[in-house]
Amino acid sequence: MRKNSIPRVILTVILFVMSLFFLFPVIWMLANSFKTDAAITADMNSLRAFVPPALNGSFFENYVTVIKNTDFIRYMLNTLFYAAILIVAGVIVNGLAGYALAKIKFPFRERWVLIIMMLMIVPSETIITINFLFVAKMGLLNTIFGYILPMIVNPFNIFLFRQVFVSLPDDVWEAAQLDFCNPVKYFFTMVLPMSKTVVATVSVFTFLGVWNDYLWPSLVFTSSDLLTAQIGLNSITSNDNTTMGQTLAVITMITIPVIIIYALFSKQIVEGVVSTGSKEG
Amino acid sequence: MKSNKINSIMGMAFFGPALVLLTLFLFLPMLLTVIFSFTDFFALNPDLTHFVGLKNYSDIFKDELFTTAFWNTVKFVLIIVPAQTLGALGLALLINKATVCKKYFKVAFFIPVVMSLAVVSNLWMQIYSPEGILNTMLAQIGIEAQPFIYSAEQALPSIAIMSVWQGVGYQMIIFLGGLQAINPALYEAAEMDHASAWQQFKDITLPELKPLCVFVFITVTIGAFRMIVQPMVMTGGGPSHSTYTLVYDIYETGTVNWEIGLASAMAVIFVIFVIILTIIQSVLTKDKEAKSNAKK
C-alpha cells in the first residue's frame, strides 16, 4: 500500500492542474464580469485576466447597468415562477402516474410501462414543430399556459417515480383502503412523504430543465413580458450597446441560481445522473 | 371482482392526467408527424395539402442543404463521441484513484454540466473571439491568432470542443458510479496474484464497466446527433453552413420555412435513426448480461 502514495500525490497534483485548465472559462467569466471592457482587454495578457479587479465603488457596475437598463431581473423571476409551477404540477402528474404503474393493478399496466420506457427514447426536438403549431392553433402562443402545458408530463420522471414506488410496502396501501382513506389523500400524505429523495431528484431536474431550456421558450414567447432568462439573455447580448463585461455579468447572473441548486442538492443530482446509467439492465 | 373494478377506476384516476397530457403533447404530435411526412403540408396555407406519398423522403436525400447538415452532424459525432467518452472515463479513473480533494474534483468537472447551452455558447463566443482570451493565451506560447468560430474550417471543431467541455462531467459521474459499484474483493484478489495496475484495469475494471461504456457511448452519440442550440447561438449554422446540423435543418424547415411535410419526414428519419442506436445499445448490453449470468 505504501508504495502507492507517491504516485497518488503526483496524480492529485496533475488532476488539480487539469481542473484549473478545465475551469478557466468559468473563472475568466466570473473575474471579468466586474471589469470595464478596457480593463478586460488590458488584463488579457497577464494572469490578471483571471483575477477580479480591486473592490471599489464601481465593482458591480456591469451588474447594476444590466439590472437598471434591461428587464433581466424580470426574466429571471418569470423563469423561477414557471419552474415553481412545473415542479408542483410535474411531481403531482408524473408522481400519480408512476404510482399507478407501480402499485395499482389496472388493465394493460405492464404495456403502459413499456410504452413509457419507449417514449423516453424520442428526442423532444422531433415533435417540437408540431407542438408549436398545436399551441399556436389553440391560441396559446405568448401565454404561460402555452409554455407550461406541454412540459408537465415527462416519461423519464414517470419512470423514475415508478422505480421508487415499486419498492414501497404493499400492505400500507391495503391498510389505507380498509380504512376507507381517500386514495388521493393517501398519496399526498403517505406516499410522497415516504419518497422524499425521488421527489427532490425530480424537482431539481425539473428546475434545471426549465431554467436552462432554450428551444421551446424561444418558440412560444415573443412578447418581452413573459421571456425566460435564457431567451432574455439573447435579446440583451444581441443589442450592440451591450458591452463584453455586461454580457459576462448577465451570464454569471443566470448561472448563480443553478450553482446554488447544485451546491444544495448535489447528492440528488449525482444520484439522478447515476440512475440514468444504472437503470440499464 | 369488485376490487378489480376499483383498481381499474383508481388506476385511471391516477394515470389519467398524465395520459391526457401524453396524448395531447406526445402521441398526437408523433402520429401527426408520421402522417404529415407523406403530405406537402405548408403551415401558411394548410388548405392546399395533398397526399404526396414518399416524395418528401426522396426529396430529402436530393436536398443539398440536408446532405450538408447530415455530414456536419456526422463530423460533430466523430469528434464529440470519442473525446467525451474517453475523456469521461479517463477523468473518472483518475478521480477514483485520488486520495484527497475527491469532492472538489467531482464538482470542478461537473460545473459546466449545470450551466445552460445558451450561457456556455455566449461565454465561448467571447473566449473564441479574434482578440479573445484564447488567442491571447495562444500568442503567449507563440501560436498565431486563429479565427475559430469565424471560419468555415474551424467553426465545427471549435463548437465540438466546447460541447465536450460542457458535457464530459455528466458521463464522468456515471463512470464514477460504475467504478464505485465494482466489488473491491476483485482487486484484493488481483493484488494477491501480484497483478499489475494495467492488468487490473484490463481484466477487472474494463469488463465490469463494459455495459456502462456502451450506455455512455450510445447516449453521447444520440446527444451529439441532437446538436442545435450551440450553432444556433454562436454561428447561426455558418459560416457558409459549416455548422448547420440535422436538427437545425428540421427546426428551420418546420418553424421558419413552415414546410411541415418536409420537416416531418426529416423528423421521422431522425427518430428511426435514434431508435436503431438504442436497439444496438440494448442488444450489446443484454449480450453482456447473459454472459455474466452464464458465468455465475
Side-chain angles (χ1 to χ4, degrees), chain B residues 55-64 66-67 70 269:
Chain B
K55 185 172 174 295
N56 286 328
Y57 290 90
S58 61
D59 280 357
I60 287 171
F61 290 102
K62 281 182 240 148
D63 181 9
E64 230 170 88
F66 184 82
T67 323
F70 176 80
I269 294 177

Side-chain angles (χ1 to χ4, degrees), chain A residues 170-181 186:
Chain A
D170 275 322
D171 46 349
V172 185
W173 166 236
E174 280 151 19
Q177 277 179 315
L178 285 181
D179 283 349
F180 301 105
C181 169
Y186 160 77

Side-chain angles (χ1 to χ4, degrees), chain A residues 1-8:
Chain A
M1 276 292 112
R2 196 90 207 113
K3 69 178 181 349
N4 270 336
S5 61
I6 291 170
R8 284 200 177 195

